[in-house]
C-alpha cells in the first residue's frame, strides 16, 4: 500500500522532501491516524504548528463558520477577523503594530525589509548589514537562506543576496568582533530549533540587547518555531527580559492554516508605509479566524501547563538509557544521544505508534501543546523501551 503513495509522490511532486513511510489521513487531539487505520501519538505537531492538536473543536467551528461566510477577501478591504487578531497580538505583546504574512520565511523577509528600510531612512545607506547567529535557521527563500547561519544552506543557488554576517551563538567575544558601523540589525532565535534545540545563554542575550540599545541597532527575534506558547510563554523572548524591535512569527499562530506575521515596536511602527509591502493572502479572514481561536486559548493557565508538561518530558527523558543531554524550553525539546542514530530510534518508535522529529543528530519533540500528561507518559514509555532495546 505504501508503495502506491511513494510512487505517485516520486513521479508527480518535485523531490523536496524525504518523507516518513506513512500517509496520514486524520487527527484527533494529540493523535494522528494513517491510511491503514494505525494510530500514532504525535510529538511532531506538523513541525511545531498544531499547538491545539488536531480537530480542536473551537478551531474547527471557527474555521467552518468563516469558510462558509468569507474565506478570502483582498487587502483592499477591511475584514473583521484580522482587525480582531491584530488588536489581540498588539495588546498581548506590548508591540505597536503588526503586519501579516503566510509563512515563517516570508515573515523573516518582512522583518529584514523593515530593518533595511529603517537603516535607509535613518542612516542613508551607511548601515547595510544584518548579523545572525551561526547554526541559526531562518527559512528557505533566497534572503532567509543567507540569513541562516549554516554553510550547507549557502550552496547550489548562486547568486545569493549579500548583507549578512554571522556571530557565534553565546560568544560575546564573537558578537563584539562582528558588530561594526555598518550593522543595522541583529536577528536570532531564542532557542535554535533546526540547529539542534539550543537555548541561548541569558548573559549573551542581555549583551545583544545592551549593544542594540547603545548603538541603535535593531533587534529582530525570530519566533517562528519558539512562538505562540511553544516554550511556555507566548513568545520565548519574554523569558529573557528583552525588548525586541521586530518579532517574526508563523507556524502555530493559526494552528494549521498558513499564516505568519511581523510585530513592530514603537520605534519601527511607521517604517512600512502604504505601497511598501503587501501580499495577496496575508491576513486573510480564514487564517485570521483560526488564529483568533489560538490567541484566545493561550491563557496564563494554558502556558503554565506547557511549562509543567515540558518539565515532565525532560525529567522522564533524563533517566533513560543512552541519553547524554536534554535541551530546550517548554514543549520544545532536544535529546542528545550517546552515539545512537536518532533516525533509527525514530523508526523504532514509529513502529510502536509514537512519532518524533530530529534536529541535526538529536531527537526533537514539538508535541501539540494540548497533549495531556498521561499521553506524555505513554509516549515516554515507548521511547524508554526503544532506548532499552538498543
Ligand atoms: C526559526 C525558524 N524561522 C523560520 C522558519 C521558516 O518557516 P517556514 O517553513 O514557515 O517558511 C522556520 C522553519 O522551521 C524556523 O524554525
Amino acid at each position: 500500500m505504501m508503495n502506491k503513495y511513494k510512487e505517485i509522490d516520486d513521479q508527480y511532486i518535485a523531490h523536496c522532501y524525504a518523507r516518513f513511510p506513512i500517509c496520514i489521513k486524520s487527527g484527533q487531539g494529540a493523535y494522528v491516524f494513517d491510511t491503514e487505520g494505525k494510530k500514532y501519538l504525535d510529538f511532531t505537531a506538523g513541525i511545531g504548528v498544531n499547538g491545539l492538536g488536531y480537530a480542536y473543536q473551537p478551531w474547527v467551528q471557527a474555521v467552518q463558520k468563516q469558510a462558509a461566510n468569507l474565506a478570502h477577501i483582498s487587502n483592499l478591504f477591511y475584514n473583521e477577523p484580522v482587525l480582531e487578531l491584530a488588536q489581540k497580538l498588539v495588546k498581548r505583546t506590548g508591540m505597536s503594530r503588526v503586519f501579516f504574512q503566510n509563512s515563517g520565511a516570508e515573515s523573516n523577509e518582512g522583518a529584514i525589509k523593515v530593518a533595511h528600510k529603517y537603516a535607509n531612512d535613518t542612516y542613508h545607506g551607511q548601515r547595510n548589514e544584518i548579523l545572525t547567529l551561526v547554526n541559526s535557521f531562518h527559512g528557505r527563500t533566497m534572503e532567509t537562506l543567507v540569513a541562516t547561519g549554516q554553510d550547507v544552506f549557502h550552496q547550489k543557488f548562486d547568486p545569493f543576496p549579500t548583507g549578512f554576517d554571522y556571530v557565534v551563538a553565546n560568544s560575546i567575544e564573537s558578537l563584539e568582533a562582528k558588530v561594526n558601523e555598518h550593522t543595522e540589525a541583529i536577528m536570532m532565535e531564542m532557542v535554535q530549533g533546526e540547529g539542534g534545540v539550543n537555548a541561548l545563554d541569558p548573559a549573551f542575550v542581555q549583551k545583544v540587547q545592551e549593544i542594540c540599545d547603545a548603538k541603535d541597532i535593531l533587534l529582530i527575534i525570530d519566533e517562528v518555531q519558539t512562538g505562540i506558547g511553544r516554550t511556555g510563554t507566548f513568545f520565548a523572548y519574554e523569558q529573557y527580559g528583552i525588548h525586541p524591535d521586530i518579532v517574526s512569527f508563523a507556524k502555530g499562530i493559526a494552528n494549521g492554516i498558513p499564516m505568519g506575521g511581523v510585530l513592530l515596536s514603537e520605534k519601527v511602527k511607521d517604517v512600512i508605509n502604504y505601497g511598501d509591502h503587501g501580499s495577496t493572502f496575508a491576513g486573510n479572514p480564514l487564517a485570521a479566524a483560526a488564529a483568533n481561536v489560538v490567541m484566545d486559548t493561550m491563557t496564563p493557565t494554558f502556558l503554565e501547563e506547557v511549562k509543567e508538561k515540558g518539565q515532565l518530558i525532560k525529567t522522564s527523558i533524563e533517566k533513560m538509557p543512552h541519553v547524554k543531554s536534554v535541551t530546550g524550553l517548554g514543549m520544545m525539546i532536544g535529546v542528545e544521544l550517546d552515539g545512537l542514530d536518532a533516525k533509527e530510534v525514530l523508526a523504532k518508535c514509529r513502529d510502536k505508534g509514537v512519532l518524533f522529529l530530529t534536529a541535526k543528530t538529536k531527537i526533537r519533540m514539538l508535541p501539540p501543546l494540548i497533549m495531556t500528561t498521561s499521553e506524555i507518559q505513554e509516549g515516554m514509555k515507548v521511547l524508554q523501551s526503544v532506548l532499552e532495546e538498543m
Side-chain angles (χ1 to χ4, degrees):
M1 181 63 114
M2 193 52 229
N3 283 345
K4 177 183 91 178
Y5 301 121
K6 185 163 168 33
E7 273 167 28
I8 298 170
D9 187 82
D10 279 351
Q11 186 172 351
Y12 293 102
I13 299 184
H15 296 178
C16 297
Y17 310 103
R19 303 184 200 270
F20 297 139
I22 46 179
C23 181
I24 301 295
K25 188 162 185 173
S26 65
Q28 188 67 52
Y31 292 92
V32 291
F33 301 84
D34 72 12
T35 42
E36 279 154 42
K38 183 168 172 180
K39 180 179 175 182
Y40 301 86
L41 182 57
D42 180 29
F43 284 76
T44 76
I47 318 188
V49 167
N50 292 85
L52 308 185
Y54 302 94
Y56 180 69
Q57 272 314 297
W59 180 91
V60 170
Q61 280 158 21
V63 169
Q64 282 178 340
K65 191 168 161 209
Q66 192 58 47
N69 214 18
L70 180 74
H72 180 78
I73 188 74
S74 78
N75 279 309
L76 299 174
F77 301 92
Y78 299 105
N79 80 70
E80 286 180 334
V82 84
L83 296 175
E84 185 183 328
L85 176 62
Q87 289 179 79
K88 283 178 181 163
L89 280 163
V90 164
K91 286 182 180 161
R92 167 156 219 145
T93 57
M95 299 294 270
S96 295
R97 279 189 190 136
V98 63
F99 64 86
F100 293 98
Q101 301 278 204
N102 311 290
S103 71
E106 214 189 9
S107 301
N108 285 334
E109 286 273 343
I112 292 165
K113 279 181 78 176
V114 174
H116 284 345
K117 181 135 188 309
Y118 179 81
N120 289 336
D121 291 351
T122 317
Y123 296 100
H124 314 290
Q126 233 188 319
R127 293 190 174 188
N128 51 18
E129 187 178 86
I130 297 180
L131 297 177
T132 66
L133 301 187
V134 173
N135 215 26
S136 56
F137 184 80
H138 297 293
R140 299 277 196 159
T141 60
M142 292 303 294
E143 197 85 25
T144 56
L145 275 178
V146 186
T148 292
Q150 302 184 48
D151 290 342
V152 59
F153 290 103
H154 303 163
Q155 292 160 18
K156 302 184 194 168
F157 299 103
D158 282 305
F160 283 100
T162 54
F164 290 89
D165 200 0
Y166 313 97
V167 170
V168 176
N170 297 327
S171 165
I172 292 177
E173 203 184 344
S174 167
L175 174 69
E176 287 176 333
K178 293 285 182 170
V179 171
N180 64 74
E181 73 271 25
H182 302 298
T183 309
E184 66 179 44
I186 300 175
M187 175 167 166
M188 57 195 199
E189 306 150 86
M190 306 314 298
V191 184
Q192 296 189 326
E194 303 302 308
V197 201
N198 298 310
L200 293 183
D201 286 350
F204 174 78
V205 175
Q206 281 307 322
K207 191 71 189 172
V208 172
Q209 180 73 73
E210 209 179 291
I211 290 176
C212 288
D213 284 346
K215 297 180 186 286
D216 188 30
I217 292 170
L218 297 177
L219 178 54
I220 307 175
I221 302 298
D222 176 346
E223 291 271 2
V224 169
Q225 190 162 146
T226 49
I228 327 297
R230 173 56 54 192
T231 68
T233 42
F234 186 68
F235 283 130
Y237 77 76
E238 294 165 39
Q239 295 178 49
Y240 285 83
I242 54 169
H243 48 273
D245 300 293
I246 302 171
V247 178
S248 60
F249 59 92
K251 285 193 187 280
I253 184 64
N255 200 51
I257 308 271
M259 181 179 238
V262 181
L263 278 151
L264 305 171
S265 67
E266 195 63 17
K267 191 199 277 193
V268 295
K269 74 171 187 195
D270 291 320
V271 168
I272 292 294
N273 225 314
Y274 302 117
D276 288 339
H277 192 63
S279 158
T280 298
F281 289 116
N284 98 356
L286 186 69
N292 277 319
V293 176
V294 174
M295 292 301 295
D296 294 344
T297 311
M298 299 279 141
T299 61
T301 312
F302 183 91
L303 294 171
E304 204 42 52
E305 282 173 14
V306 170
K307 276 193 189 148
E308 286 164 15
K309 289 187 286 189
Q311 199 51 48
L312 171 65
I313 298 176
K314 271 190 177 171
T315 45
S316 314
I317 297 171
E318 274 160 1
K319 296 184 212 125
M320 292 183 194
H322 298 293
V323 171
K324 240 175 119 180
S325 70
V326 187
T327 58
L329 277 182
M331 291 176 87
M332 175 174 186
I333 289 168
V335 185
E336 186 189 5
L337 299 168
D338 65 357
L340 287 186
D341 182 352
K343 290 200 172 102
E344 252 179 66
V345 178
L346 247 61
K348 288 186 192 249
C349 290
R350 200 164 55 233
D351 288 345
K352 295 187 177 202
V354 181
L355 304 177
F356 296 112
L357 295 160
T358 56
K360 304 276 178 200
T361 55
K362 289 184 182 177
I363 299 173
R364 174 169 46 150
M365 304 180 187
L366 294 168
L369 306 176
I370 49 94
M371 187 180 275
T372 63
T373 52
S374 63
E375 287 163 349
I376 288 170
Q377 281 156 351
E378 177 190 329
M380 292 303 102
K381 232 186 241 169
V382 169
L383 179 61
Q384 165 107 26
S385 71
V386 165
L387 289 174
E388 276 169 2
E389 283 165 18
M390 292 183 82

